[in-house]
Coordinates of all heavy atoms in Angstrom, one line a residue:
M1 N 6.4 14.9 3.3 CA 6.1 16.2 2.9 C 5.3 16.2 1.6 O 4.3 16.9 1.4 CB 7.4 17.0 2.6 CG 7.8 18.1 3.5 SD 6.7 18.8 4.6 CE 7.4 20.4 4.7
A2 N 5.8 15.4 0.6 CA 5.1 15.3 -0.7 C 3.6 14.9 -0.5 O 2.8 15.4 -1.2 CB 5.8 14.4 -1.6
E3 N 3.4 14.0 0.4 CA 2.0 13.5 0.6 C 1.1 14.6 1.0 O -0.1 14.6 0.7 CB 2.0 12.4 1.7 CG 2.4 11.1 1.2 CD 2.5 10.1 2.3 OE1 1.9 10.3 3.4 OE2 3.2 9.1 2.1
E4 N 1.6 15.6 1.7 CA 0.7 16.7 2.1 C 0.1 17.4 0.9 O -1.0 18.0 1.0 CB 1.5 17.8 2.9 CG 1.8 17.4 4.3 CD 2.6 18.4 5.0 OE1 2.5 19.6 4.6 OE2 3.3 18.0 6.0
H5 N 0.8 17.4 -0.3 CA 0.3 18.2 -1.4 C -0.4 17.2 -2.4 O -0.7 17.7 -3.5 CB 1.4 19.0 -2.0 CG 2.0 20.0 -1.1 ND1 1.3 21.1 -0.7 CD2 3.2 20.0 -0.4 CE1 2.0 21.7 0.2 NE2 3.2 21.1 0.4
T6 N -0.5 16.0 -2.1 CA -1.2 15.0 -3.0 C -2.6 15.4 -3.2 O -3.3 15.8 -2.3 CB -1.1 13.6 -2.4 OG1 0.2 13.3 -2.1 CG2 -1.7 12.6 -3.3
V7 N -3.1 15.3 -4.4 CA -4.5 15.6 -4.8 C -5.1 14.2 -5.1 O -4.6 13.5 -6.0 CB -4.6 16.5 -6.0 CG1 -6.1 16.8 -6.3 CG2 -3.9 17.8 -5.7
M8 N -6.1 13.8 -4.4 CA -6.8 12.6 -4.6 C -8.2 12.8 -5.0 O -8.9 13.7 -4.5 CB -6.8 11.7 -3.4 CG -5.4 11.2 -3.0 SD -5.4 10.3 -1.5 CE -6.5 9.0 -1.8
L9 N -8.7 12.0 -6.0 CA -10.1 12.1 -6.4 C -10.8 10.8 -6.2 O -10.4 9.8 -6.8 CB -10.2 12.6 -7.9 CG -11.6 12.8 -8.4 CD1 -12.3 13.9 -7.8 CD2 -11.5 13.0 -10.0
H10 N -11.8 10.8 -5.3 CA -12.7 9.7 -5.2 C -13.8 9.8 -6.3 O -14.5 10.8 -6.3 CB -13.3 9.6 -3.8 CG -12.4 9.2 -2.8 ND1 -12.4 8.0 -2.2 CD2 -11.4 9.9 -2.2 CE1 -11.5 7.9 -1.3 NE2 -10.8 9.0 -1.3
G11 N -13.8 8.8 -7.2 CA -14.7 8.9 -8.3 C -15.3 7.6 -8.7 O -15.1 6.6 -8.0
M12 N -16.0 7.6 -9.8 CA -16.5 6.4 -10.4 C -16.6 6.6 -11.9 O -17.0 7.6 -12.4 CB -17.9 6.1 -9.8 CG -18.4 4.7 -10.0 SD -19.3 4.5 -11.6 CE -20.8 5.4 -11.2
W13 N -16.1 5.6 -12.6 CA -15.8 5.7 -14.1 C -17.0 6.3 -14.8 O -16.9 7.0 -15.8 CB -15.3 4.4 -14.7 CG -16.4 3.3 -14.7 CD1 -16.6 2.4 -13.7 CD2 -17.3 3.0 -15.7 NE1 -17.7 1.6 -14.0 CE2 -18.1 2.0 -15.3 CE3 -17.5 3.6 -17.0 CZ2 -19.1 1.4 -16.1 CZ3 -18.5 3.0 -17.8 CH2 -19.3 2.0 -17.3
A14 N -18.2 5.9 -14.5 CA -19.4 6.2 -15.3 C -20.1 7.5 -14.8 O -21.1 7.9 -15.5 CB -20.4 5.1 -15.2
S15 N -19.5 8.2 -13.8 CA -20.2 9.4 -13.3 C -19.9 10.6 -14.1 O -18.7 11.0 -14.3 CB -19.7 9.6 -11.8 OG -20.2 10.9 -11.4
P16 N -20.9 11.3 -14.6 CA -20.7 12.5 -15.4 C -20.1 13.6 -14.5 O -19.4 14.5 -15.0 CB -22.1 12.9 -16.0 CG -23.0 12.2 -15.1 CD -22.3 11.0 -14.6
F17 N -20.4 13.6 -13.2 CA -19.9 14.6 -12.3 C -18.4 14.5 -12.2 O -17.6 15.4 -12.2 CB -20.6 14.5 -11.0 CG -22.1 14.6 -11.0 CD1 -22.9 13.5 -11.0 CD2 -22.6 15.9 -11.1 CE1 -24.3 13.6 -11.0 CE2 -24.0 16.0 -11.2 CZ -24.8 14.9 -11.1
V18 N -18.0 13.2 -12.1 CA -16.5 12.9 -12.0 C -15.8 13.2 -13.3 O -14.7 13.8 -13.3 CB -16.3 11.4 -11.6 CG1 -14.8 11.1 -11.6 CG2 -17.0 11.1 -10.2
K19 N -16.5 12.9 -14.4 CA -15.8 13.2 -15.7 C -15.5 14.7 -15.9 O -14.5 15.1 -16.4 CB -16.8 12.8 -16.9 CG -16.9 11.3 -17.0 CD -15.7 10.6 -17.7 CE -15.9 9.1 -17.8 NZ -14.7 8.4 -17.3
G20 N -16.5 15.5 -15.4 CA -16.3 17.0 -15.5 C -15.1 17.4 -14.7 O -14.3 18.2 -15.1
V21 N -15.0 16.9 -13.5 CA -13.9 17.2 -12.6 C -12.6 16.8 -13.2 O -11.6 17.5 -13.2 CB -14.1 16.7 -11.2 CG1 -12.9 16.8 -10.3 CG2 -15.3 17.3 -10.5
E22 N -12.6 15.5 -13.7 CA -11.3 15.0 -14.3 C -10.9 15.8 -15.5 O -9.7 16.1 -15.6 CB -11.6 13.5 -14.7 CG -11.6 12.5 -13.6 CD -12.0 11.1 -14.0 OE1 -12.6 11.0 -15.1 OE2 -11.7 10.2 -13.3
L23 N -11.8 16.3 -16.3 CA -11.5 17.1 -17.4 C -10.9 18.4 -17.0 O -9.8 18.8 -17.5 CB -12.8 17.3 -18.3 CG -12.6 18.1 -19.6 CD1 -11.6 17.4 -20.5 CD2 -13.9 18.4 -20.3
A24 N -11.5 19.0 -16.0 CA -10.9 20.3 -15.5 C -9.5 20.1 -14.9 O -8.6 21.0 -15.2 CB -11.9 20.9 -14.4
L25 N -9.3 19.0 -14.2 CA -8.0 18.8 -13.6 C -7.0 18.6 -14.7 O -5.8 19.0 -14.7 CB -8.0 17.5 -12.7 CG -8.8 17.7 -11.4 CD1 -9.1 16.4 -10.8 CD2 -8.0 18.6 -10.4
K26 N -7.4 17.9 -15.8 CA -6.5 17.6 -16.9 C -6.1 19.0 -17.6 O -5.0 19.2 -18.0 CB -7.2 16.7 -17.9 CG -6.3 15.9 -18.8 CD -7.0 14.8 -19.5 CE -6.1 14.0 -20.3 NZ -6.8 12.8 -20.9
I27 N -7.1 19.8 -17.8 CA -6.9 21.1 -18.5 C -5.9 21.9 -17.7 O -5.0 22.6 -18.2 CB -8.2 21.9 -18.7 CG1 -9.0 21.2 -19.8 CG2 -8.0 23.3 -19.0 CD1 -10.5 21.7 -19.9
K28 N -6.0 21.8 -16.4 CA -5.1 22.6 -15.5 C -3.8 21.9 -15.2 O -3.0 22.4 -14.4 CB -5.8 22.9 -14.1 CG -7.0 23.8 -14.2 CD -6.5 25.2 -14.3 CE -7.7 26.2 -14.4 NZ -7.2 27.6 -14.4
V29 N -3.6 20.7 -15.8 CA -2.4 19.9 -15.7 C -2.1 19.6 -14.2 O -1.0 19.8 -13.7 CB -1.2 20.5 -16.4 CG1 -0.1 19.5 -16.6 CG2 -1.6 21.1 -17.7
I30 N -3.2 19.2 -13.5 CA -3.0 18.9 -12.1 C -3.1 17.3 -12.0 O -4.0 16.7 -12.5 CB -4.2 19.4 -11.2 CG1 -4.2 21.0 -11.3 CG2 -4.1 18.9 -9.8 CD1 -5.4 21.6 -10.7
T31 N -2.0 16.8 -11.5 CA -1.8 15.3 -11.4 C -2.6 14.9 -10.1 O -2.4 15.5 -9.1 CB -0.3 14.9 -11.3 OG1 0.4 15.6 -12.4 CG2 -0.2 13.4 -11.4
I32 N -3.3 13.8 -10.3 CA -4.1 13.3 -9.2 C -3.9 11.8 -9.0 O -3.4 11.1 -9.9 CB -5.6 13.5 -9.4 CG1 -6.1 12.8 -10.7 CG2 -6.0 14.9 -9.3 CD1 -7.6 12.6 -10.8
E33 N -4.2 11.4 -7.8 CA -4.3 9.9 -7.5 C -5.8 9.6 -7.5 O -6.6 10.3 -6.8 CB -3.8 9.6 -6.1 CG -2.3 9.2 -6.1 CD -1.9 8.9 -4.7 OE1 -2.7 8.3 -3.9 OE2 -0.8 9.4 -4.4
S34 N -6.2 8.7 -8.4 CA -7.6 8.3 -8.5 C -8.0 7.2 -7.5 O -7.2 6.2 -7.5 CB -8.0 7.9 -9.9 OG -7.9 9.1 -10.7
V35 N -9.1 7.3 -6.9 CA -9.7 6.2 -6.1 C -11.0 5.8 -6.7 O -11.9 6.7 -6.7 CB -9.8 6.6 -4.6 CG1 -10.4 5.4 -3.8 CG2 -8.5 7.1 -4.0
E36 N -11.0 4.7 -7.3 CA -12.3 4.2 -8.0 C -13.2 3.7 -6.9 O -12.9 2.7 -6.2 CB -11.9 3.2 -9.0 CG -13.1 2.6 -9.8 CD -13.8 3.6 -10.7 OE1 -13.2 4.7 -11.0 OE2 -14.9 3.4 -11.1
E37 N -14.4 4.2 -6.8 CA -15.4 3.8 -5.8 C -16.4 2.8 -6.4 O -16.8 3.0 -7.6 CB -16.2 5.0 -5.3 CG -15.3 6.0 -4.4 CD -15.0 5.4 -3.0 OE1 -15.7 4.4 -2.6 OE2 -14.1 6.0 -2.4
D38 N -16.7 1.8 -5.6 CA -17.8 0.9 -5.9 C -19.0 1.5 -5.2 O -19.0 1.5 -3.9 CB -17.5 -0.5 -5.4 CG -18.7 -1.4 -5.6 OD1 -19.8 -1.0 -6.0 OD2 -18.5 -2.6 -5.2
L39 N -20.0 2.1 -5.9 CA -21.1 2.8 -5.2 C -22.0 1.9 -4.3 O -22.7 2.4 -3.5 CB -21.9 3.6 -6.2 CG -21.1 4.7 -6.9 CD1 -22.0 5.5 -7.9 CD2 -20.3 5.6 -6.0
Q40 N -21.9 0.6 -4.6 CA -22.6 -0.4 -3.7 C -21.8 -0.7 -2.5 O -22.3 -1.4 -1.6 CB -22.9 -1.7 -4.5 CG -23.6 -1.5 -5.8 CD -24.9 -0.7 -5.7 OE1 -25.7 -0.9 -4.8 NE2 -25.1 0.3 -6.6
N41 N -20.5 -0.4 -2.5 CA -19.6 -0.7 -1.3 C -18.6 0.3 -1.2 O -17.4 0.1 -1.6 CB -19.0 -2.1 -1.6 CG -18.2 -2.6 -0.5 OD1 -18.3 -2.2 0.6 ND2 -17.2 -3.5 -0.8
K42 N -19.0 1.5 -0.7 CA -18.1 2.7 -0.7 C -17.0 2.5 0.3 O -17.2 1.9 1.3 CB -19.0 3.9 -0.4 CG -20.0 4.2 -1.5 CD -21.0 5.2 -1.0 CE -22.1 5.3 -2.1 NZ -23.2 6.1 -1.7
T43 N -15.9 3.2 0.0 CA -14.7 3.1 0.9 C -15.0 3.9 2.2 O -15.8 4.9 2.2 CB -13.4 3.7 0.3 OG1 -13.7 5.1 0.0 CG2 -13.1 2.9 -1.0
P44 N -14.4 3.5 3.3 CA -14.6 4.2 4.6 C -14.1 5.7 4.4 O -14.7 6.6 5.0 CB -13.7 3.5 5.6 CG -13.5 2.1 5.0 CD -13.6 2.3 3.5
E45 N -13.1 5.9 3.6 CA -12.6 7.3 3.3 C -13.7 8.1 2.7 O -13.9 9.3 3.1 CB -11.4 7.3 2.4 CG -10.1 6.7 3.0 CD -10.2 5.1 3.1 OE1 -10.9 4.5 2.3 OE2 -9.4 4.6 3.9
L46 N -14.4 7.6 1.7 CA -15.5 8.4 1.1 C -16.6 8.7 2.1 O -17.0 9.9 2.1 CB -16.1 7.6 -0.1 CG -17.3 8.3 -0.8 CD1 -16.8 9.6 -1.5 CD2 -18.0 7.4 -1.8
L47 N -16.9 7.7 2.9 CA -18.0 7.9 3.9 C -17.6 8.9 4.9 O -18.4 9.7 5.4 CB -18.4 6.6 4.5 CG -18.9 5.5 3.5 CD1 -19.2 4.2 4.2 CD2 -20.2 6.0 2.8
S48 N -16.3 9.0 5.3 CA -15.9 10.0 6.3 C -15.7 11.3 5.7 O -15.9 12.4 6.3 CB -14.6 9.5 7.0 OG -13.5 9.6 6.1
F49 N -15.3 11.4 4.4 CA -15.1 12.7 3.7 C -16.4 13.4 3.3 O -16.5 14.6 3.2 CB -14.1 12.6 2.5 CG -12.7 12.4 2.9 CD1 -12.0 11.4 2.2 CD2 -12.1 13.1 3.8 CE1 -10.6 11.2 2.6 CE2 -10.7 13.0 4.2 CZ -10.0 12.0 3.5
N50 N -17.4 12.5 3.0 CA -18.7 13.1 2.5 C -19.8 12.3 3.3 O -20.5 11.5 2.7 CB -18.8 12.8 1.0 CG -20.0 13.6 0.4 OD1 -20.7 14.2 1.1 ND2 -20.1 13.5 -0.9
P51 N -19.9 12.6 4.6 CA -20.8 11.7 5.4 C -22.2 12.0 5.2 O -23.1 11.1 5.5 CB -20.3 12.1 6.9 CG -19.7 13.5 6.7 CD -19.1 13.5 5.4
I52 N -22.6 13.1 4.7 CA -24.1 13.4 4.5 C -24.6 12.8 3.2 O -25.5 11.9 3.2 CB -24.3 14.9 4.5 CG1 -23.7 15.6 5.7 CG2 -25.8 15.2 4.3 CD1 -24.4 15.4 7.0
Y53 N -24.0 13.1 2.1 CA -24.5 12.7 0.8 C -23.8 11.4 0.3 O -24.4 10.6 -0.5 CB -24.3 13.8 -0.3 CG -25.2 15.0 0.1 CD1 -24.6 16.2 0.5 CD2 -26.6 14.9 0.0 CE1 -25.3 17.3 0.8 CE2 -27.3 16.0 0.4 CZ -26.7 17.2 0.7 OH -27.5 18.3 1.1
K54 N -22.6 11.1 0.8 CA -21.9 9.9 0.5 C -21.7 9.6 -1.0 O -21.8 8.5 -1.4 CB -22.6 8.7 1.2 CG -22.9 8.8 2.6 CD -23.6 7.6 3.2 CE -23.8 7.5 4.6 NZ -24.8 8.4 5.2
N55 N -21.6 10.7 -1.8 CA -21.5 10.5 -3.2 C -20.2 11.0 -3.7 O -19.4 11.7 -3.1 CB -22.7 11.0 -4.0 CG -23.0 12.5 -3.8 OD1 -22.1 13.2 -3.3 ND2 -24.2 12.9 -4.0
V56 N -19.9 10.7 -5.0 CA -18.7 11.1 -5.7 C -19.1 12.3 -6.6 O -20.3 12.3 -7.0 CB -18.1 10.0 -6.5 CG1 -17.5 8.9 -5.6 CG2 -19.0 9.4 -7.5
S57 N -18.3 13.3 -6.8 CA -16.9 13.2 -6.6 C -16.5 13.9 -5.3 O -17.2 14.8 -4.9 CB -16.1 14.0 -7.7 OG -17.0 14.6 -8.6
V58 N -15.4 13.4 -4.8 CA -14.8 14.1 -3.6 C -13.3 14.3 -3.9 O -12.6 13.3 -4.2 CB -14.9 13.3 -2.3 CG1 -14.2 14.0 -1.2 CG2 -16.4 13.1 -2.0
L59 N -12.8 15.5 -3.9 CA -11.4 15.8 -4.1 C -10.8 16.1 -2.7 O -11.3 16.8 -1.9 CB -11.3 17.1 -5.0 CG -9.9 17.4 -5.4 CD1 -9.6 16.7 -6.7 CD2 -9.7 18.9 -5.6
I60 N -9.6 15.5 -2.5 CA -8.9 15.7 -1.3 C -7.5 16.3 -1.6 O -6.7 15.8 -2.4 CB -8.7 14.3 -0.5 CG1 -10.0 13.8 -0.1 CG2 -7.8 14.5 0.7 CD1 -10.3 12.4 -0.6
H61 N -7.4 17.5 -1.0 CA -6.1 18.3 -1.3 C -5.5 18.5 0.1 O -6.2 19.1 1.0 CB -6.4 19.6 -2.0 CG -5.2 20.3 -2.3 ND1 -5.1 21.7 -2.1 CD2 -3.9 19.9 -2.7 CE1 -3.9 22.1 -2.5 NE2 -3.1 21.0 -2.8
S62 N -4.3 18.1 0.2 CA -3.6 18.3 1.5 C -4.4 17.8 2.7 O -4.5 18.4 3.7 CB -3.2 19.8 1.7 OG -2.4 20.2 0.7
G63 N -5.1 16.7 2.5 CA -5.8 16.0 3.5 C -7.2 16.6 3.8 O -8.0 16.1 4.6
K64 N -7.5 17.7 3.0 CA -8.9 18.3 3.2 C -9.8 18.0 2.1 O -9.5 18.2 0.9 CB -8.7 19.8 3.3 CG -7.8 20.2 4.5 CD -7.8 21.7 4.7 CE -6.9 22.1 5.9 NZ -5.6 22.5 5.4
P65 N -11.0 17.5 2.4 CA -11.9 17.1 1.4 C -12.7 18.3 0.8 O -13.1 19.2 1.5 CB -12.9 16.1 2.1 CG -12.8 16.6 3.5 CD -11.5 17.2 3.8
I66 N -13.0 18.2 -0.5 CA -14.0 19.1 -1.1 C -15.0 18.3 -1.8 O -14.7 17.4 -2.6 CB -13.3 20.0 -2.2 CG1 -12.1 20.8 -1.6 CG2 -14.3 21.1 -2.7 CD1 -11.3 21.5 -2.6
C67 N -16.3 18.4 -1.4 CA -17.4 17.7 -2.0 C -18.1 18.5 -3.0 O -18.0 19.8 -3.0 CB -18.3 17.2 -0.9 SG -17.5 16.3 0.4
E68 N -18.9 17.9 -3.8 CA -19.8 18.6 -4.8 C -18.9 19.0 -6.0 O -18.0 19.8 -5.9 CB -20.5 19.8 -4.2 CG -21.7 19.4 -3.4 CD -22.8 18.6 -4.1 OE1 -23.2 19.0 -5.2 OE2 -23.2 17.6 -3.5
S69 N -19.3 18.5 -7.2 CA -18.4 18.7 -8.4 C -18.3 20.2 -8.7 O -17.3 20.7 -9.1 CB -19.0 17.9 -9.5 OG -20.3 18.2 -9.7
L70 N -19.4 21.0 -8.5 CA -19.3 22.4 -8.9 C -18.4 23.2 -7.9 O -17.7 24.1 -8.3 CB -20.8 23.0 -8.9 CG -21.6 22.6 -10.1 CD1 -23.0 23.3 -10.0 CD2 -21.0 22.9 -11.4
V71 N -18.4 22.8 -6.6 CA -17.6 23.4 -5.7 C -16.1 23.0 -6.0 O -15.2 23.9 -5.9 CB -17.9 22.9 -4.2 CG1 -17.0 23.5 -3.2 CG2 -19.4 23.3 -3.9
I72 N -15.9 21.8 -6.4 CA -14.5 21.4 -6.8 C -14.1 22.2 -8.0 O -13.0 22.7 -8.0 CB -14.5 19.8 -7.1 CG1 -14.8 19.0 -5.9 CG2 -13.2 19.4 -7.7 CD1 -15.0 17.5 -6.1
L73 N -15.0 22.3 -9.0 CA -14.6 23.1 -10.2 C -14.2 24.6 -9.8 O -13.3 25.1 -10.3 CB -15.7 23.1 -11.2 CG -16.0 21.7 -11.8 CD1 -17.2 21.8 -12.8 CD2 -14.8 21.2 -12.6
E74 N -15.0 25.2 -8.9 CA -14.7 26.5 -8.5 C -13.3 26.6 -7.8 O -12.6 27.6 -8.0 CB -15.7 27.0 -7.5 CG -17.0 27.5 -8.2 CD -18.1 28.0 -7.1 OE1 -17.8 27.9 -5.9 OE2 -19.1 28.3 -7.6
N75 N -13.0 25.6 -7.0 CA -11.7 25.6 -6.3 C -10.5 25.3 -7.3 O -9.4 25.8 -7.0 CB -11.7 24.5 -5.2 CG -12.4 25.1 -4.0 OD1 -11.7 25.6 -3.1 ND2 -13.7 25.0 -3.9
I76 N -10.8 24.6 -8.4 CA -9.7 24.3 -9.3 C -9.4 25.6 -10.1 O -8.2 25.9 -10.4 CB -10.1 23.2 -10.3 CG1 -10.2 21.9 -9.6 CG2 -9.1 23.1 -11.5 CD1 -10.9 20.8 -10.4
N77 N -10.4 26.4 -10.4 CA -10.1 27.6 -11.2 C -9.5 28.8 -10.4 O -9.4 28.8 -9.2 CB -11.5 28.1 -11.8 CG -11.8 27.2 -13.0 OD1 -10.9 27.0 -13.8 ND2 -13.0 26.7 -13.0
Ligands
GSH1 N1 -24.4 17.1 -6.6 C1 -23.4 16.0 -6.7 C2 -24.0 14.8 -7.4 C3 -23.0 13.7 -7.4 C4 -23.7 12.4 -7.6 O1 -24.9 12.3 -7.8 N2 -22.9 11.3 -7.7 C5 -23.5 10.0 -7.9 C6 -22.8 9.3 -9.1 S1 -23.1 10.0 -10.6 C7 -23.2 9.1 -6.7 O2 -22.2 9.2 -6.1 N3 -24.2 8.3 -6.3 C8 -24.0 7.4 -5.2 C9 -25.1 7.4 -4.2 O3 -26.0 8.2 -4.4 O4 -25.1 6.5 -3.4 C10 -22.1 16.6 -7.4 O5 -22.3 17.5 -8.2 O6 -21.0 16.1 -7.1

């Protein structure tokens, strides 16, 4: 049951897009599980959640992915 409400963020430490999302999540006190992506060798999960652009950040909430940092920020607020 708890897994259904898990918030996961596929990111990469140097990405400014990911930094913005992480900051917003921190401000909102939303606990996340981070998945660090190697952009030269992306996880199958990232490729299936964001099959067109294949980039970070991707937030997964209750198993549903949200791509694009600005869309994620809108959903957090
Ligand atoms: N418009 C996207 C841009 C994200 C983006 O460009 N992410 C880069 C890292 S900073 C990325 O994942 N690059 C991997 C690639 O293009 O293969 C957003 O706002 O989330």
Side-chain angles (χ1 to χ4, degrees):
M1 246 349 204
E3 279 176 21
E4 281 180 27
H5 301 289
T6 304
V7 180
M8 289 176 61
L9 180 67
H10 286 253
M12 195 272 287
W13 68 273
S15 168
F17 302 101
V18 176
K19 290 284 178 227
V21 170
E22 285 174 341
L23 183 60
L25 289 164
K26 202 167 187 175
I27 289 168
K28 291 282 180 178
V29 198
I30 298 170
T31 310
I32 57 161
E33 267 179 40
S34 292
V35 180
E36 181 67 18
E37 291 287 344
D38 172 357
L39 298 184
Q40 307 304 316
N41 184 22
K42 297 167 186 171
T43 62
E45 290 79 21
L46 177 66
L47 300 176
S48 70
F49 287 133
N50 191 357
I52 307 290
Y53 296 109
K54 306 178 173 78
N55 58 20
V56 293
S57 6
V58 175
L59 186 90
I60 296 126
H61 182 222
S62 301
K64 297 188 183 96
I66 307 172
C67 305
E68 286 297 315
S69 53
L70 290 180
V71 178
I72 295 170
L73 291 175
E74 279 180 1
N75 277 271
I76 290 170
N77 282 311

